[in-house]
């Protein structure tokens, strides 16, 4: 009789998937653990952000957004996202397409390059551009002579953001395109469709959910990027401050309400993105 | 002709996957390309559809050369193995796709769609998405979609591959019916011989990128020309036999003059030689004793295995000593046990029931003799150890396994006659050995240097015109079993007067058309000027993976003329084909 608990464990081990008291305990332990973990690490900070933003009432909260510098930061963030996301979408599609459909020299090198921004610290990504285009940089003298400003201006911010966010669309599309293969395109071609028609009627609809998901992730990262942008922007209020940078400045000035109010807006954008993503996933997976 | 392929060749990284294939497919014909996976049949179909370019050769559809026409302008309908339906479109949109591309009016599109759905028996499924259909239904939609724009030819790439047996048969019938109703020229690719038999007007059998044989299903089954087709289309027992004036002799002892010429398709007036005989399992009769046999006696044997498979009984019989020598080693087939396969009907079982272990007399109703010049190989060396080592040479082992034949060994002191092609190592005395072997009556000698691998190219040359037919026959036989291209190298002396050159060119082209007409062998031709042996050596030195087939009819001066090609330091194998000039007439 002493072996009874072992027998039960043995049974669990030998018959996975079967409901027993032990497996129920294990299941609930794991679920609770992850819930508590999420609550501590995610929900608590989010709640704090909201609480701090509204600490002095709704009036103070909305007053933040009347500040011209804040508005400029919001505008800059939106412009950056608007430029970066379409460019990276096109690039990601092209890269995904070429990697999934063709065999060529340097293919694995290209895949590694695409992953690079994920591996490199964003601060270093920003530094690269300073080294290239800054006054002491390789092209600094030339740019100054021709009166072109990249660092501490909008082009620098866009470049840095682009660098950091370019893997997202490509990484989402590569496995999807590899999995779906070429057959539908080939069928379309034998049925008489030309290249563009095949692309818009067959390829694009085929990968649209993966593409949309990649765009959403890319957008979320583009709006929230801090490190790389921080290095290249120069933190000029009202001019080169994006929302994440602006939040930091407000915080450092002990303007907690302002900082958290802008943070809540950024958070709202992220949440909206995530909601769209979830919706996309649901419809996407059902249709696939 | 609806589809004409002329010497189509496709290479991947230098290796030919489709090798010099020429076919003419008639209007309304149902043509099946049959072959194991990797035989190049799908690549060939894709080349016809325009999805794969070709490196060499021409493709025409209804007399229109489409070799360089892009796929979307070829007007073919292609059905894929995994359906390849547009998964985001409904059945209706899928079928109408080709019509939409061609800007056909909506009402006409709807009409055509209804017609097609009726044809494939899927009425009312218009608004379903592909994911909501079963595999068989999806493939029906794919067929309808491929037919929507009334293509000139319908191409089907293993269309039943992903379906289970019942559905497969049903869909097979539908496709045959649709094909008959529309009278559309159809090419179907499959690896399933049963499917090929059920559907085809004609079958083309492919292996290693080469089209081996074309013919009506019954023709190919009863009179295959190659070992591959004999064993790939249904089960076959391959036996080595000695063809004599009185008929075929199997084995070395015992089975004397068994099957006479009347049951075997033997080319009339052929000289005495070793041949490969095909005996279908259902052509074998069993009886308790030789007297009781209705048809010709083959040998005695012992029943090893009896299996009941419904309509037929499947037996495996071990041939008695002596006769067993005839059995070709079938290690290549995966059942290298040297047993004779027999199938018997219920009726035959009732007449004479057998149990394992029982001795029986074996008779054959029909024997088919393959017209192949390379029947078997005999490794010949001074000692048994050397002969055994030679018989294990990777290239020889590979050749024997692909040709489903055996490699036996012979040493200098044995006195039995050498059968089939002799194999010797490339060594200083090679020339003397070859001369001795050829005098003994051996007709083909393969000289193998150490470390030679499977060839990518087979060079063909005959030094004397008397050896031409035999050389071509041997080359054709070899090329059917290796994934290599055949190149005939014609060599003229530098001193050839200009006036005679057109004549020589003519001879070159004649050789090519003879190869094609008589042996179904496609080859390229090259013309060189200079000393024969020097030019051949130069050509062989160009790349390592080559083999030379050299036809000769005179023994004198062999060493002086070709000795350099046969020395140990030569890297390429040389297959010498000898036919004495006076014997040819």
């Amino acid at each position: 009789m002493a072996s009874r608990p072992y027998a039960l464990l043995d049974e669990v081990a030998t018959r996975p998937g079967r409901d027993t008291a032990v497996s129920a305990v294990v299941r609930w332990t794991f679920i609770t653990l992850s819930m508590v973990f999420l609550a501590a690490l995610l929900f608590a900070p989010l709640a704090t952000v909201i609480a701090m933003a509204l600490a002095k009432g709704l009036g103070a909260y909305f007053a933040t957004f009347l500040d011209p510098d804040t508005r400029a930061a919001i505008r800059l963030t939106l412009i950056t996202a608007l430029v970066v996301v379409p460019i990276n979408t096109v690039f990601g599609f092209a890269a995904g397409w070429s990697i999934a459909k063709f065999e060529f020299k340097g293919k694995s090198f290209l895949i590694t390059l695409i992953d690079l921004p994920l591996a490199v610290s964003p601060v270093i990504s920003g530094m690269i551009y300073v080294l290239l285009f800054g006054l002491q940089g390789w092209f600094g003298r030339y740019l100054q002579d021709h009166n072109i400003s990249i660092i501490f201006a909008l082009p620098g911010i866009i470049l840095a953001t682009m660098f950091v966010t370019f893997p997202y669309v490509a990484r989402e599309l590569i496995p999807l395109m590899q999995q779906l293969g070429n057959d539908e395109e080939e069928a379309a071609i034998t049925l008489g469709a030309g290249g563009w028609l095949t692309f818009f009627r067959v390829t694009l609809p085929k990968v649209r959910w993966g593409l949309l998901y990649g765009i959403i992730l890319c957008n979320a990262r583009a709006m929230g990027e801090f490190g790389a942008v921080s290095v290249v922007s120069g933190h000029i209020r009202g001019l080169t401050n994006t929302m994440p940078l602006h939040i930091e400045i407000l915080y450092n000035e002990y303007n907690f309400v302002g900082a958290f109010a802008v943070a809540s807006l950024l958070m709202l954008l992220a949440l909206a993105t995530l909601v769209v993503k979830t919706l996309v996933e649901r419809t996407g997976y059902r249709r696939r | 002709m609806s589809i004409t392929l002329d010497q189509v060749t496709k290479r991947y990284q230098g290796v030919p996957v489709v090798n010099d294939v020429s076919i003419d497919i008639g209007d309304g014909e149902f043509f099946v390309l049959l072959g194991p996976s990797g035989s190049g049949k799908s690549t060939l179909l894709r080349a016809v559809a325009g999805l794969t370019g070709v490196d060499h050769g021409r493709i025409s559809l209804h007399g229109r050369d489409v070799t360089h026409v892009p796929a979307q302008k070829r007007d073919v309908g292609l059905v894929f193995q995994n359906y390849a339906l547009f998964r985001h479109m409904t059945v209706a949109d899928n079928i109408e796709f080709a019509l939409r591309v061609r800007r056909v009016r909506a009402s006409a599109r709807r009409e055509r769609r209804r017609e097609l759905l009726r044809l494939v028996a899927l009425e009312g499924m218009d608004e379903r998405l592909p994911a909501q259909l079963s595999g068989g239904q999806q493939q029906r939609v794919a067929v309808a979609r491929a037919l929507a724009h009334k293509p000139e030819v319908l191409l089907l790439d293993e269309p039943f591959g992903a379906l289970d047996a019942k559905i497969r048969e049903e869909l097979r019938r539908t496709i045959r019916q649709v094909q008959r109703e529309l009278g559309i020229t159809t090419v179907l690719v499959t690896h399933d011989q049963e499917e090929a038999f059920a559907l085809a007007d004609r079958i083309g059998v492919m292996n290693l990128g080469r089209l081996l044989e074309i013919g009506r299903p019954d023709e190919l089954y009863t009179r295959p020309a190659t070992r591959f087709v004999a064993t790939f289309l249904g089960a076959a027992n391959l036996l080595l036999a000695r063809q004599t004036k009185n008929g075929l002799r199997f084995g070395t002892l015992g089975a004397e003059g068994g099957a006479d010429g009347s049951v075997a398709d033997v080319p009339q007036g052929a000289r005495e030689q070793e041949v490969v005989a095909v005996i279908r399992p259902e052509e074998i009769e069993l009886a308790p004793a030789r007297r009781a046999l209705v048809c010709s006696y083959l040998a005695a044997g012992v029943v090893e295995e009896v299996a009941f498979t419904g309509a037929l009984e499947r037996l495996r019989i071990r041939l008695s000593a002596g006769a067993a020598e005839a059995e070709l080693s079938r290690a290549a087939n995966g059942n290298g046990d040297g047993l004779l396969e027999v199938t018997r009907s219920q009726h035959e079982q009732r007449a004479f029931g057998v149990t394992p272990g029982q001795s029986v007399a074996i008779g054959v109703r029909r024997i088919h003799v393959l017209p192949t010049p390379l029947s078997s190989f005999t490794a010949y060396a001074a000692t048994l150890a050397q002969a055994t080592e030679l018989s294990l040479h990777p290239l020889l082992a590979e050749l024997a396994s692909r040709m489903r034949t055996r490699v036996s060994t012979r040493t200098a002191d044995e006195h039995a006659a050498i059968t089939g092609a002799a194999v010797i190592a490339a060594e200083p005395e090679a020339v003397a050995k070859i001369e001795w072997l050829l005098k003994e009556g051996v007709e083909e000698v393969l000289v193998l240097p150490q470390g030679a691998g499977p060839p990518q190219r087979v060079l063909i040359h005959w030094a004397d015109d008397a050896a031409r037919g035999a050389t071509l026959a041997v080359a054709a036989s070899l090329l059917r079993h290796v994934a290599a291209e055949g190149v005939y190298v014609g060599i003229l002396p530098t001193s050839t007067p200009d006036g005679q050159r057109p004549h020589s060119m003519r001879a070159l082209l004649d050789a090519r058309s003879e190869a094609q007409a008589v042996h179904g062998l496609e080859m390229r031709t090259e013309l060189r000027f200079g000393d024969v042996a020097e030019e051949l050596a130069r050509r062989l030195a160009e790349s390592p993976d080559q083999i030379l087939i050299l036809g000769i009819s005179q023994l004198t001066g062999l060493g002086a003329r070709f000795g350099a090609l046969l020395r140990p330091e030569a890297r390429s194998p040389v297959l010498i084909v000898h036919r004495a000039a006076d014997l040819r007439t």
Side-chain angles (χ1 to χ4, degrees):
Chain A
M1 272 311 187
S3 69
R4 202 164 158 67
Y6 295 109
L8 197 62
L9 278 177
D10 278 349
E11 171 156 344
V12 173
T14 53
R15 304 169 85 167
R18 188 158 178 254
D19 275 333
T20 61
V22 175
S23 74
V25 168
V26 169
R27 188 169 74 230
W28 285 109
T29 311
F30 275 95
I31 293 174
T32 317
L33 209 65
S34 40
M35 282 299 186
V36 169
F37 195 74
L38 271 179
L41 275 161
L42 272 172
F43 295 123
L46 286 179
T48 315
V49 169
I50 305 279
M52 291 296 280
L54 296 173
K56 293 188 178 161
L58 275 174
Y61 178 82
F62 286 114
T64 314
F65 299 110
L66 294 175
D67 174 36
D69 290 348
T70 306
R71 290 179 160 216
I74 295 171
R75 198 181 314 124
L76 184 62
T77 295
L78 289 180
I79 289 172
T80 308
L82 229 62
V83 175
V84 166
V85 173
I87 292 179
N88 275 344
T89 303
V90 172
F91 161 79
F93 204 96
W97 180 284
S98 50
I99 285 167
K101 311 275 176 182
F102 306 118
E103 290 302 321
F104 53 92
K105 264 201 179 131
K107 181 165 157 172
S108 52
F109 184 62
L110 182 61
I111 296 175
T112 316
L113 276 189
I114 288 175
D115 283 349
L116 193 68
L118 296 179
V120 172
S121 158
V123 178
I124 294 172
S125 315
M127 296 282 281
I128 296 167
Y129 287 99
V130 174
L131 285 176
L132 278 178
F133 304 118
L135 254 186
Q136 266 71 48
W138 291 0
F139 306 111
R141 178 57 48 84
Y142 174 87
L143 293 171
Q144 199 188 23
D145 290 349
H146 292 79
N147 208 13
I148 303 169
S149 45
I150 289 181
I151 299 304
F152 309 135
L154 182 62
I157 294 171
I158 287 176
L159 277 177
T161 312
M162 239 160 74
F163 180 83
V164 174
T165 58
F166 81 61
Y168 291 95
V169 175
R171 285 194 62 87
E172 196 60 37
L173 285 180
I174 292 167
L176 183 63
M177 284 178 155
Q178 276 171 340
Q179 181 210 332
L180 293 178
N182 266 339
D183 286 357
E184 289 180 46
E185 281 83 354
E186 289 186 339
I189 288 169
T190 58
L191 291 171
W196 286 111
L197 197 69
T198 305
F199 180 77
F200 285 109
R201 294 291 306 273
V202 178
T203 307
L204 214 49
K206 195 168 81 168
V207 299
R208 61 190 164 190
W209 299 118
L211 183 64
L212 198 53
Y213 187 34
I215 293 175
I216 287 167
L217 282 180
C218 178
N219 181 51
R221 183 71 200 262
M223 292 208 275
E225 177 53 30
F226 179 86
V229 174
S230 169
V231 177
V232 296
S233 92
H235 301 261
I236 309 165
R237 281 179 92 139
L239 276 179
T240 63
N241 254 1
T242 59
M243 280 167 77
L245 301 182
H246 193 60
I247 292 167
E248 195 207 16
I249 288 177
L250 290 175
Y251 186 83
N252 287 343
E253 288 171 349
Y254 304 105
N255 183 356
F256 294 127
V257 171
F260 283 104
V262 179
S264 72
L265 183 66
L266 197 58
M267 195 179 80
L268 223 62
L269 286 173
L271 277 181
T273 312
L274 282 176
V275 168
V276 173
K277 183 203 124 186
T278 314
L279 287 178
V280 161
E281 269 183 347
R282 277 204 189 155
T283 32
Y285 283 122
R286 208 181 51 222
R287 291 292 295 268
R288 237 177 236 169
Chain B
M1 285 299 139
S2 264
I3 305 174
T4 306
L5 304 181
D6 183 23
Q7 292 199 299
V8 172
T9 298
K10 172 74 189 171
R11 294 191 187 85
Y12 281 126
Q13 285 149 5
V15 182
V17 284
V18 172
N19 203 341
D20 262 344
V21 172
S22 303
I23 319 178
D24 281 325
I25 298 171
D27 284 331
E29 184 173 3
F30 201 122
F31 191 89
V32 173
L33 274 175
L34 179 66
S37 48
S39 59
K41 55 193 194 306
S42 282
T43 308
L44 188 61
L45 193 80
R46 291 171 58 85
V48 174
L51 293 174
T52 302
V54 298
D55 294 317
H56 179 75
R58 283 161 11 112
I59 299 171
S60 24
L61 300 176
H62 288 287
R64 177 171 67 117
D65 187 339
V66 296
T67 316
H68 302 292
V69 173
Q72 68 256 37
K73 299 214 172 84
R74 288 207 186 176
D75 238 5
V76 298
L78 179 58
V79 175
F80 295 78
Q81 174 171 6
N82 46 4
Y83 328 131
L85 292 177
F86 307 128
R87 65 194 83 198
H88 58 278
M89 293 184 201
T90 61
V91 168
D93 288 339
N94 263 287
I95 293 176
E96 286 181 24
F97 186 86
L99 303 175
R100 249 179 232 271
V101 168
R102 288 168 176 75
R103 301 183 196 287
V104 174
R105 270 182 303 112
S107 58
R109 285 206 308 257
R110 214 168 30 242
E111 186 127 331
R112 180 80 182 134
R113 177 179 92 211
R114 218 168 280 146
E115 198 180 310
L116 286 164
L117 282 174
R118 181 197 56 76
L119 202 62
V120 297
L122 279 181
E123 287 119 319
M125 299 281 193
D126 308 57
E127 294 313 314
R128 302 272 188 96
L129 282 171
Q132 298 167 313
L133 300 176
S134 71
Q137 288 171 326
Q138 289 193 45
Q139 197 57 295
R140 280 163 195 270
V141 175
V143 171
R145 180 181 70 176
L147 290 169
H149 54 298
K150 303 195 172 159
E152 293 176 341
V153 295
L154 178 62
L155 309 173
L156 305 146
D157 188 3
E158 305 245 9
F160 315 115
L163 302 170
D164 55 58
K166 260 257 155 32
I167 312 269
R168 193 181 284 216
E169 204 157 311
E170 213 179 285
L171 190 58
R172 197 191 285 169
R173 219 169 294 136
T174 310
I175 286 188
R176 190 67 174 125
Q177 208 176 328
V178 167
Q179 194 265 341
R180 288 245 169 82
E181 199 170 323
L182 301 180
I184 183 172
T185 310
T186 304
V187 182
L188 180 136
V189 158
T190 182
H191 60 265
D192 182 348
Q193 46 116 350
E194 196 189 320
E195 208 168 285
F197 282 153
L199 288 168
D201 291 326
R202 277 195 307 159
I203 298 176
V205 184
M206 287 190 75
N207 189 33
L208 301 168
R210 230 166 237 291
L211 184 70
L212 297 185
E213 287 179 57
I214 300 182
R216 290 205 321 271
D218 56 319
E219 267 174 23
L220 284 187
Y221 185 75
T222 50
R223 290 172 210 281
T226 59
R227 276 172 263 236
F228 182 81
V229 173
T231 48
F232 193 71
L233 284 180
N237 297 293
L238 293 185
L239 282 83
L240 281 179
R242 193 91 201 147
Q243 182 180 302
T244 65
K245 279 190 214 90
N246 305 322
L248 294 174
R249 281 170 54 98
F250 289 91
T252 49
L253 309 158
E256 81 291 340
D260 57 51
S262 60
V263 290
D265 319 322
V266 179
Q268 284 303 305
R271 70 215 145 77
E272 181 165 331
Q273 60 175 336
E274 189 185 58
V275 293
V276 178
V278 179
I279 303 178
R280 295 283 179 196
E282 67 273 16
E283 300 289 3
I284 293 176
E285 185 198 348
L286 299 183
R290 189 172 172 178
R291 298 183 307 282
L293 281 172
V294 178
C295 59
S296 311
Y297 175 72
L298 173 70
V302 177
V303 178
E304 287 259 314
E305 204 181 299
V306 182
F308 174 75
T309 62
L312 294 172
E313 178 189 52
R314 208 172 286 276
L315 301 129
R316 288 149 78 73
I317 297 179
R318 185 170 298 287
L319 294 174
S320 61
E325 304 242 327
E327 186 76 23
L328 283 178
S329 155
R330 286 185 302 171
N333 269 350
N335 51 349
D337 43 17
L339 294 174
L340 203 63
E341 288 203 29
V342 180
T343 52
R344 299 200 306 162
S345 67
Q346 294 273 359
H347 171 73
E348 288 173 288
Q349 292 168 44
R350 275 192 298 274
F352 173 50
V354 295
T355 50
Q358 191 174 338
S359 296
V360 290
I362 305 165
V364 275
R365 301 188 186 96
R366 195 178 162 278
I367 299 174
H368 172 67
V369 175
L370 294 180
T372 169
L374 290 174
S375 50
S376 67
F377 294 102
T378 303
Y380 177 78
T383 67
L384 186 63
Q386 283 170 342
T388 311
E389 196 197 326
L390 185 61
S391 72
L392 296 174
H393 189 288
L395 173 59
L396 183 58
E398 177 78 22
L399 273 181
S401 108
R402 285 190 180 173
M403 300 176 88
R404 284 155 224 267
T405 190
R406 68 171 174 209
V407 182
S408 38
T409 53
R410 261 290 314 272
T411 59
D413 356 302
E414 286 175 69
H415 290 287
I418 290 180
T419 53
V423 184
I424 61 169
E427 54 184 349
E429 308 91 70
V431 173
K433 269 191 183 171
I434 294 166
E435 281 173 352
W436 182 80
L437 284 165
L438 295 181
K439 272 183 199 137
E440 285 289 292
V442 173
E443 297 186 306
E444 291 92 17
V445 182
L446 176 62
V447 185
L448 272 184
Q450 210 119 60
Q456 304 251 327
R457 188 176 296 133
V458 176
L459 302 182
I460 303 158
H461 179 81
W462 47 89
D464 313 299
D465 214 44
R468 156 191 176 139
T471 310
L472 281 174
V474 169
S477 181
L478 185 72
L479 279 167
R480 286 194 190 103
H481 297 98
V482 293
E485 59 175 352
V487 180
Y488 169 64
V489 188
I491 300 167
L492 297 176
T494 338
S495 58
T496 311
D498 277 355
Q500 217 184 328
R501 288 193 179 185
H503 176 74
S504 313
M505 281 301 285
R506 184 69 193 278
L508 205 66
L509 294 175
D510 282 352
R512 211 192 104 179
S513 49
E514 178 181 337
Q516 201 174 349
V518 182
H519 306 287
L521 165 68
E522 298 286 351
M523 60 180 190
R524 294 198 293 115
T525 45
E526 276 179 16
L527 188 57
R528 294 175 157 242
F529 293 93
D531 174 67
V532 171
E534 268 174 31
E535 283 303 316
L536 286 176
R538 202 167 294 150
R539 188 70 181 82
L540 282 173
E542 277 174 22
S543 86
D545 308 318
Q546 305 191 92
I547 180 170
L548 170 68
I549 298 182
L550 180 63
I552 54 171
S553 64
Q554 295 158 10
L555 282 180
T556 45
L558 178 68
R561 285 163 83 194
F562 299 110
L565 299 173
L566 308 170
R567 272 200 278 275
E569 59 272 18
R571 286 181 306 169
S572 308
V574 179
L575 177 56
I576 294 174
V577 180
H578 174 249
R579 293 291 187 278
D582 50 344
L583 271 183
R584 258 176 57 86
T585 47

